[in-house]
């Protein structure tokens, strides 16, 4: 129910700069994911929004209130934010009810109201049967729900999630993904979600912000991040992709092996062509590039191939039924259904 | 291959268990047996006799009062200190930490010697100073009192609690506190509702550790209590042994059993209570510890802690050092009252050098035996699933929890030829006593180092074709080497200056430096005793410095 505005945020640890001039506005109701490899600064940004870290420079606003700037700093306990930690941080000496009731007690909500609101939240996160349990008696997924319930119980303006699913097994991770998304819809809350898992980011977010070494690489919808990555880092980090170096001139890109491909875009000189393996079609004859099949693996739904186009080896993910139509060592023609052209160093 | 490896494990466990059975379990059991058994079978005669003397009741009461108060005050000091050092942005946190941990390695009787000089009711330096400062008609403090005893016990045993609580605080997942803050709790509220309750089991354990240590202490009550006619159970036991008669020994035994039972009940309760509520709060990801900003309190609190450190560490140590250079103890140290005489004595007198040599030999031997057992135990506990591996672990813990005076008494009664082993009057009995008492310190250090090495590192070496012995030598040992050295010194240092057990076990040829210091302090010359004590302090500081170097500043007990 709130927006978060970060303006020119910089964060140094000693002489190491972990965030460089970060400016973004997270809108009301938006589900934002900060995505990037470890050390990219995504957790630091989250912790600065929470108030656990103080930016070296820059300003953070929640709605119209400045919570962090050079002269002003609101401590975390006064920010009215909900947060789910990677380790859950469920207090081991309190039972489920007391854990979830804690934020309300801190706000001096009257007793009967606490009980009612806690029970409602526990219902929402499917924990009603476990009210009196101690955390040690809960599974990882249940502890996760306690943490989620605790983060939501006081109707915070903002919900922060720090890799909340990384300690769960694959199946539970998928179901929790939907649960979090559903909870967001029901509570109509602004969510900032930190992860290094691109599938999570794609599945849940309205907007994904890809970070690398403290800088924003791209901030866009999941579809645009995937289909129109702005640079090679984003293209490589999100999904699978082949990169082929080449030289662009006169409406054509020439690859090192001498083969050419028509290209009508504006980039000239040394370029890198990026093409996702599933966007390559294999034909027996009549395509753009000619190659030789080196390997193919039948995976049921798809046929995962390696094709040598003369100096470059491309990964091609073709439909499963193509397996058997081509033989290893045999000739094959490739068509690019969709591709991207990057400047060489970008 | 698998079979031969199993045999090695079994053999090692058996050897260690055998050592512990002979030198630890059997003597203790015999001690208990003897206290109930005089010639004609089971009797409570000895207990009846000792508890008809009001003197012994008094001693028991004094022990409970002093140890109990030291426990309360010790924890009240240690918890805030551990929190300030571990969790806040107080100035000089690392320095204070090193200082408090170092106090842990100082022999407690040095504190007694210092406070004796400072708070003597008539001429105590600090007493006179304070009286002068506030224009008091008489000196405010009397060290020869229950209060004085509690003061010295507290100032020298609070580091035990400090270390236990600090360690638990370091292990606590910082996001537990962050979760509380984000829920709207102020830092103070977080401290009271989250940090303290989560830490409670460790706080209880720390308190009980102080209680048992203070109750088992001999050096402090004998130096301070004797002039003030304050007896404790430990001093009574040693008095009884010194009487020498058979009856005396039986009475000592009965008192020792009372002390041992008290200590063991306390330790059992603490492991039971804490074991049940042991929270696993190690986080998935080690974030930087959550540092609380003290804001405007930062400087005042730092000054407060600094004053505490000056009063509790600097003043006593400086007093002892200064005493060793003072010609006439009735006057303050000055140019004309300065002498190197006592340092000369320390470095030349044969009696002192011989005892130093004795201590050096027996402490080194104990440390070496102890470190070897510790390494094997670390391997057994962290790398094997041998069923019996917790038996020696339990026995070692039990040995350390037993008051020194009880261990010594039990060894005297069993190791002087009655059961085929006669090591009485030799250095060997010292080595055995020290090993039984201090083994656990080394073992804990090495076990914790070992448990931090992922087994896959060793497995990688095994898969490369190394035998497990080679793997241990080439991979594990180099990685844990700093902790092994630390473990060695943690057994060596307290053994080197040990007083209580040495007092009971020494013979003319096997006097130790601790005992020698004690006799100088009590009967001959406080200055000589202070010179010896200062020498020991210098050793403690050097060892600390060395350990910090070796472990790259990460040394912690």
């Amino acid at each position: 129910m709130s927006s978060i505005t970060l303006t020119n945020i910089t964060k140094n640890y000693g002489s190491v700069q972990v965030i460089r001039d970060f400016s973004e506005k997270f809108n009301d109701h938006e589900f934002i994911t900060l995505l990037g490899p470890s050390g990219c600064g995504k957790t630091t940004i989250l912790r600065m929004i929470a108030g656990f870290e103080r930016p070296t420079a820059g300003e953070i606003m929640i709605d119209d209130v400045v919570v962090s700037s050079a002269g002003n700093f609101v401590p975390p306990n006064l920010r009215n934010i909900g947060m789910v930690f990677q380790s859950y941080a469920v207090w081991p000496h309190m039972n489920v009810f007391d854990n979830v009731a804690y934020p309300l007690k801190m706000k001096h909500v009257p007793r009967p109201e606490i009980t009612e609101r806690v029970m409602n939240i526990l219902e929402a996160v499917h924990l009603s049967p476990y009210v009196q349990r101690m955390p040690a008696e809960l599974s990882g997924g249940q502890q996760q729900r306690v943490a989620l319930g605790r983060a939501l119980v006081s109707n915070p303006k903002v919900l922060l999630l720090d890799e909340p699913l990384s300690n769960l097994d694959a199946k539970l991770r998928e179901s929790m993904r939907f649960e979090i998304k559903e909870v967001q819809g029901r509570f109509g809350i602004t969510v900032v979600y930190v992860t290094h898992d691109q599938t999570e980011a794609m599945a849940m977010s309205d907007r994904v912000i890809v970070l690398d070494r403290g800088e924003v690489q791209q901030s866009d919808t999941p579809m645009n991040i995937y289909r129109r990555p702005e640079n090679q880092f984003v293209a490589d980090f999100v999904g699978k992709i082949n990169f082929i170096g080449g030289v662009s001139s006169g409406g054509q890109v020439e690859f090192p092996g001498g083969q050419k491909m028509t290209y009508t875009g504006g980039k000239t000189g040394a370029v890198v062509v990026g093409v996702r393996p599933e966007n390559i079609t294999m034909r027996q004859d009549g395509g753009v590039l000619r190659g030789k099949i080196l390997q193919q693996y039948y995976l049921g739904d798809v046929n995962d191939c390696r094709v040598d186009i003369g100096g470059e080896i491309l990964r091609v993910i073709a439909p499963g039924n193509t397996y058997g139509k081509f033989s290893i060592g045999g000739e094959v023609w490739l068509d690019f259904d969709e591709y991207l052209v990057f400047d060489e160093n970008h | 291959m698998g079979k031969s490896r199993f045999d090695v494990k079994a053999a090692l466990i058996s050897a260690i268990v055998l050592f512990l059975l002979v030198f630890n379990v059997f003597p203790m059991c015999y001690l208990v047996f003897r206290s109930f058994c005089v010639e004609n079978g089971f009797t409570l005669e000895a207990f009846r006799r000792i508890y008809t003397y009001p003197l012994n009741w008094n001693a028991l009461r004094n022990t409970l009062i002093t140890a109990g108060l030291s426990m309360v005050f010790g924890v009240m000091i240690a918890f805030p200190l551990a929190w300030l050092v571990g969790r806040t942005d107080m100035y000089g946190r690392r320095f204070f930490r090193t200082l408090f941990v170092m106090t842990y390695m100082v022999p407690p009787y040095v504190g007694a010697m210092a406070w004796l000089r400072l708070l003597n009711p008539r001429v105590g330096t600090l007493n006179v100073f304070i009286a002068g400062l506030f224009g008091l008609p008489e000196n405010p403090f009397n060290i020869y009192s229950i209060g004085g005893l509690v003061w010295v016990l507290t100032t020298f045993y609070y580091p035990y609690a400090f270390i236990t609580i600090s360690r638990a605080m370091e292990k606590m997942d910082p996001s537990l506190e962050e979760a509380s803050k984000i829920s709207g709790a102020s830092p103070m509220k977080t401290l009271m509702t989250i940090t303290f309750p989560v830490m409670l089991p460790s706080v209880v354990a720390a308190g009980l550790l102080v209680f048992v240590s203070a109750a088992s202490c001999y050096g402090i009550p004998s130096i301070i209590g004797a002039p003030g006619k304050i007896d404790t159970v430990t001093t009574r036991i040693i008095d009884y042994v010194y009487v020498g008669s058979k009856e005396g020994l039986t009475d000592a035994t009965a008192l020792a059993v009372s002390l041992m039972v008290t200590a063991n009940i306390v330790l059992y309760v603490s492991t039971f209570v804490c074991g049940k509520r042991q929270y696993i709060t190690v986080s998935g990801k080690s974030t930087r510890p959550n540092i609380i900003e003290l804001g405007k309190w930062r400087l005042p609190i730092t000054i407060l802690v600094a004053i505490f450190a000056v009063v509790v560490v600097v003043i006593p140590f400086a007093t002892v050092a200064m005493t060793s250079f003072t010609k006439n103890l009735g006057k303050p140290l000055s140019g004309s009252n300065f002498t190197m005489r006592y340092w000369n004595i320390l470095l030349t007198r044969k009696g002192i050098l011989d005892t130093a040599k004795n201590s050096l030999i027996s402490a080194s031997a104990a440390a070496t035996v102890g470190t070897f057992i510790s390494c094997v135990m670390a391997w057994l506990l962290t790398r094997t699933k041998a069923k019996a591996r917790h038996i020696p672990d339990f026995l070692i813990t039990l040995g350390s929890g037993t008051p020194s005076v009880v261990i010594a008494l039990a060894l005297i009664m069993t190791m002087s030829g009655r059961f085929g082993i006669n090591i009485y009057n030799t250095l060997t009995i010292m080595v055995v006593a020290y090993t039984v008492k201090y083994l656990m310190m080394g073992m804990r250090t090495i076990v914790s180092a070992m448990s931090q090495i992922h087994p896959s590192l060793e497995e990688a070496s095994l898969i490369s074709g190394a035998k497990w012995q080679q793997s241990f030598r080439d991979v594990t040992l180099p990685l844990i080497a700093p902790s092994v050295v630390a473990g060695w010194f943690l057994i060596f240092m307290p053994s080197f200056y040990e007083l209580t057990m040495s007092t009971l076990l020494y013979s003319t040829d096997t006097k130790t430096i601790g005992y020698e210091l004690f006799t100088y302090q009590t009967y001959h010359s406080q200055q000589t005793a202070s010179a010896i004590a200062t020498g020991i302090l210098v050793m403690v500081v050097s060892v600390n410095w060395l350990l910090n170097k070796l472990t790259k500043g990460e040394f912690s007990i």
Side-chain angles (χ1 to χ4, degrees), chain A residues 47 77 86-87 91 93 102, chain B residues 173 176 178 181 193 285:
Chain A
R47 292 171 63 81
N77 46 314
Q86 185 178 18
S87 58
W91 300 305
H93 59 298
Y102 190 84
Chain B
D173 180 357
L176 291 176
E178 291 175 350
K181 276 193 206 158
T193 56
K285 164 172 78 170

Side-chain angles (χ1 to χ4, degrees), chain B residues 50-257:
Chain B
I50 59 166
Y51 286 117
T52 49
Y53 292 124
L55 200 59
N56 291 334
W57 274 111
N58 251 334
L60 188 67
R61 206 194 60 205
N62 288 340
T63 293
L64 292 178
I65 290 176
T66 53
L69 288 177
S70 309
M71 168 178 80
V72 173
F73 294 137
V75 170
M76 277 166 55
I77 293 170
F79 185 83
L81 279 184
W83 183 73
L84 285 169
V85 166
R87 280 270 191 260
T88 69
D89 64 344
M90 179 177 73
Y91 294 103
R93 299 156 57 211
R94 282 183 71 95
F95 169 77
F96 284 122
R97 196 191 140 77
T98 314
L99 195 68
F100 299 143
V101 169
M102 205 172 71
T103 332
Y104 176 78
M105 302 221 302
V106 173
Y109 51 77
V110 171
M113 294 163 62
W115 287 106
L116 202 69
R117 297 266 301 137
L118 288 163
L119 295 182
N120 179 299
R122 280 180 300 115
V123 296
T125 336
L126 198 63
N127 247 342
V128 173
F129 175 76
I130 294 176
L133 194 67
F134 296 104
L136 301 174
E138 54 188 50
N139 290 334
F141 299 111
N142 176 9
I143 194 70
Y144 302 122
S145 62
I146 292 275
L149 199 50
V150 170
W151 169 250
V152 180
L153 285 170
T154 306
T155 53
F156 273 80
Y157 284 112
Y158 83 88
Y160 288 52
F162 174 80
I163 288 165
T164 312
I165 296 172
S166 291
R167 202 190 292 150
M169 230 171 234
E170 278 158 19
K171 270 198 205 153
M172 185 177 149
D173 180 357
S175 54
L176 291 176
E177 289 171 324
E178 291 175 350
S180 158
K181 276 193 206 158
I182 207 89
S183 302
S186 65
M188 222 350 126
K189 196 101 191 167
T190 302
L191 180 65
M192 298 317 294
T193 56
I194 305 296
T195 318
F196 189 75
V198 170
M199 299 285 308
L200 193 62
S202 313
V203 173
V204 172
L208 295 177
L209 184 65
V210 173
F211 181 87
V212 170
S213 312
S216 325
C217 180
Y218 168 69
I220 294 176
S222 68
I223 290 177
I224 287 179
K229 305 248 179 318
I230 300 167
D231 285 305
T232 62
V233 174
T234 48
T235 59
R236 289 298 299 155
I237 292 173
I238 291 188
D239 286 351
Y240 271 126
V241 176
Y242 277 7
V243 167
S245 70
K246 199 166 175 198
E247 207 174 73
L249 205 60
T250 313
D251 290 353
T253 312
L255 263 183
V257 168

Side-chain angles (χ1 to χ4, degrees), chain A residues 98-126:
Chain A
D98 290 335
N99 259 285
V100 176
Y102 190 84
L104 297 178
K105 282 186 194 152
M106 290 305 119
K107 292 190 172 59
H108 305 290
V109 174
R111 267 259 153 216
E113 194 190 330
I114 290 183
T115 312
E116 194 194 323
R117 285 171 67 176
V118 170
M119 286 317 198
N120 284 342
I121 282 284
L122 289 178
E123 177 97 48
V125 294
H126 312 297

Side-chain angles (χ1 to χ4, degrees), chain A residues 144-219:
Chain A
Q144 170 86 75
R145 289 196 184 97
V146 175
L148 189 61
R150 184 179 64 192
L152 291 167
V153 75
S154 61
N155 295 324
K157 299 188 244 181
V158 172
L159 177 63
L160 307 178
L161 299 125
D162 184 9
E163 308 219 11
L165 305 183
S166 61
N167 288 338
L168 300 178
D169 63 58
K171 210 167 170 188
L172 200 53
R173 211 178 305 165
E174 248 175 62
S175 69
M176 279 308 290
R177 223 187 266 162
F178 290 109
E179 224 163 288
I180 291 173
K181 190 71 192 159
E182 186 216 54
V183 161
Q184 190 225 356
R186 175 144 23 130
F187 289 83
I189 198 170
T190 310
V191 175
V192 185
Y193 189 100
V194 160
T195 184
H196 62 265
D197 181 332
Q198 47 134 333
T199 327
E200 267 173 34
M202 305 285 284
M204 303 167 83
S205 324
D206 299 317
R207 183 150 58 103
V208 177
I209 297 174
V210 182
L211 288 157
D212 185 38
R213 285 180 237 157
E215 280 181 300
V216 175
Q217 303 298 314
Q218 189 168 355
S219 167

Side-chain angles (χ1 to χ4, degrees), chain B residues 444-484:
Chain B
R444 290 279 169 264
T445 306
I446 298 172
V447 167
S448 89
M450 189 92 161
S451 61
Q452 276 161 26
I453 297 170
H454 200 273
S456 63
L457 294 178
E458 285 157 24
E459 287 160 4
S461 133
L462 293 175
I463 213 86
S464 313
K467 289 200 187 70
W468 70 270
Q469 299 94 322
Q470 293 170 314
S471 162
F472 187 81
R473 190 195 60 207
D474 298 338
V475 177
T476 322
L477 205 54
L479 287 171
I480 61 169
S483 303
V484 172

Side-chain angles (χ1 to χ4, degrees), chain B residues 18 20 22 26 28 36 49 77 94 199 204-205 278 334 344 349 355 402 414 421 424 428 449 489 493 496 498 500 550:
Chain B
L18 189 69
L20 294 168
V22 172
F26 166 66
M28 301 307 155
F36 289 110
R49 193 164 56 226
I77 293 170
R94 282 183 71 95
M199 299 285 308
V204 172
Q278 198 59 265
S334 65
N344 245 327
R349 190 168 285 177
T355 59
T402 309
T414 49
I421 304 175
Y424 192 54
T428 314
F489 275 110
M493 277 317 298
F496 181 75
E498 208 284 333
T500 317
L550 269 174

